[in-house]
Amino acid sequence: MAFFEVIHVANQQEAATIVQDNLEKDLKANELNVLGLATGSTMIPIYKKLVESSLDFSEVTAFNLDEYIGLAPTNVNSYAYFMQEHLFAHKPFKETNIPNGKAHDLDAECARYESQLNEHPLDIQFLGVGENGHIAFNEPGTSFDSVTHVAQLTDSTLGVNSQYFDDEEEIPQTAFTMGIASIMKAKKIILLAFGEKKRPAIEALLGDAITEEWPITILKNHPHVTVITDIK
């Protein structure tokens, strides 16, 4: 029987404590060897809590969901930079993996990353969700069968992302992303969503329909999902 739990929290700090407790339990049980990570403002309090904790990730391999195409790891808007700043520079991992935003052969980079994921099955995958229901950069209409691929970002996503860029013309229009099928292979998924702007996506997840127009709804088919949210 599938496990699907919704945990309502008052704020992101409470959510971070719950995440830490979950990871600590799995680490102690030797059930966390590969961890799938996400970026964005939702994850900042989570990573802050993990950095301040005594949790040891030195035997854990990490994989990130996505990366902008065209941005070097040293670019302050790249997800590689984000991860260094908020987690990796403070907590050592056995190995960290993020798609190479500067790869010349995009198809080859997608194949390489998917191959790495297949060699290191994800024990836990963190997810945020976009206002339009996207998970990772799998925008509405993305096939549920998709694996790691190049995503064309929608106007909705570009609009949200614009807050992080000084010049709108600098915002990447494409990104590498784990596909929906890639994400669904994880043994457990922890989805975090905060704020009223995420309400339509959470309501879609908790509704009856499973549709590619709301990528988040595929999680209803996953065997083990924990949703942590302040949306009631």
Side-chain angles (χ1 to χ4, degrees):
M1 185 185 228
F3 175 91
F4 190 97
E5 181 181 23
V6 180
I7 302 173
H8 293 289
V9 293
N11 52 50
Q12 287 174 266
Q13 286 66 40
E14 189 180 336
T17 299
I18 292 168
V19 168
Q20 179 185 328
D21 290 346
N22 272 276
L23 295 185
E24 184 172 15
K25 204 177 300 177
D26 282 3
L27 282 167
K28 281 183 176 173
N30 292 317
E31 292 176 357
L32 179 53
N33 299 302
V34 186
L35 180 60
L37 300 172
T39 52
S41 56
T42 296
M43 297 305 300
I44 292 174
I46 308 298
Y47 293 150
K48 185 174 187 292
K49 184 77 173 175
L50 297 184
V51 166
E52 292 169 352
S53 78
S54 60
L55 296 186
D56 181 3
F57 296 103
S58 60
E59 294 301 315
V60 177
T61 296
F63 281 88
N64 264 77
L65 285 168
D66 40 29
E67 178 60 285
Y68 289 120
I69 290 173
L71 299 192
T74 51
N75 187 301
V76 295
N77 288 306
S78 73
Y79 288 156
Y81 190 96
F82 176 100
M83 292 308 304
Q84 278 297 126
E85 182 180 11
H86 293 289
L87 186 60
F88 296 154
H90 315 283
K91 278 282 183 185
F93 279 71
K94 181 180 181 181
E95 184 184 315
T96 61
N97 299 274
I98 300 177
N100 176 11
K102 295 296 280 183
H104 295 295
D105 187 330
L106 305 188
D107 290 341
E109 178 61 9
C110 292
R112 181 195 71 80
Y113 204 68
E114 187 67 23
S115 175
Q116 287 289 97
L117 287 168
N118 288 330
E119 287 175 25
H120 301 83
L122 295 163
D123 292 308
I124 297 176
Q125 176 65 62
F126 286 130
L127 288 179
V129 60
E131 293 173 23
N132 62 4
H134 74 241
I135 49 176
F137 274 132
N138 294 288
E139 299 281 20
T142 303
S143 169
F144 286 156
D145 295 327
S146 59
V147 293
T148 302
H149 64 281
V150 172
Q152 184 72 41
L153 307 186
T154 64
D155 289 343
S156 168
T157 299
L158 292 170
V160 172
N161 291 355
S162 65
Q163 65 187 297
Y164 304 111
F165 291 82
D166 295 330
D167 183 350
E168 281 193 20
E169 296 197 356
E170 292 178 1
I171 306 173
Q173 307 288 306
T174 54
F176 291 115
T177 183
M178 278 191 211
I180 293 175
S182 316
I183 291 167
M184 290 290 284
K185 288 179 184 174
K187 291 176 190 158
K188 297 180 184 177
I189 288 175
I190 299 176
L191 177 91
L192 301 127
F194 306 103
E196 280 301 305
K197 289 182 177 178
K198 304 296 177 73
R199 180 176 293 279
I202 293 300
E203 287 180 346
L205 173 61
L206 301 180
D208 295 328
I210 297 177
T211 169
E212 290 176 353
E213 289 312 304
W214 286 95
I216 189 175
T217 61
I218 190 61
L219 298 184
K220 287 196 270 269
N221 284 346
H222 193 277
H224 197 292
V225 174
T226 301
V227 179
I228 305 176
T229 183
D230 63 355
I231 299 164
K232 294 183 180 177

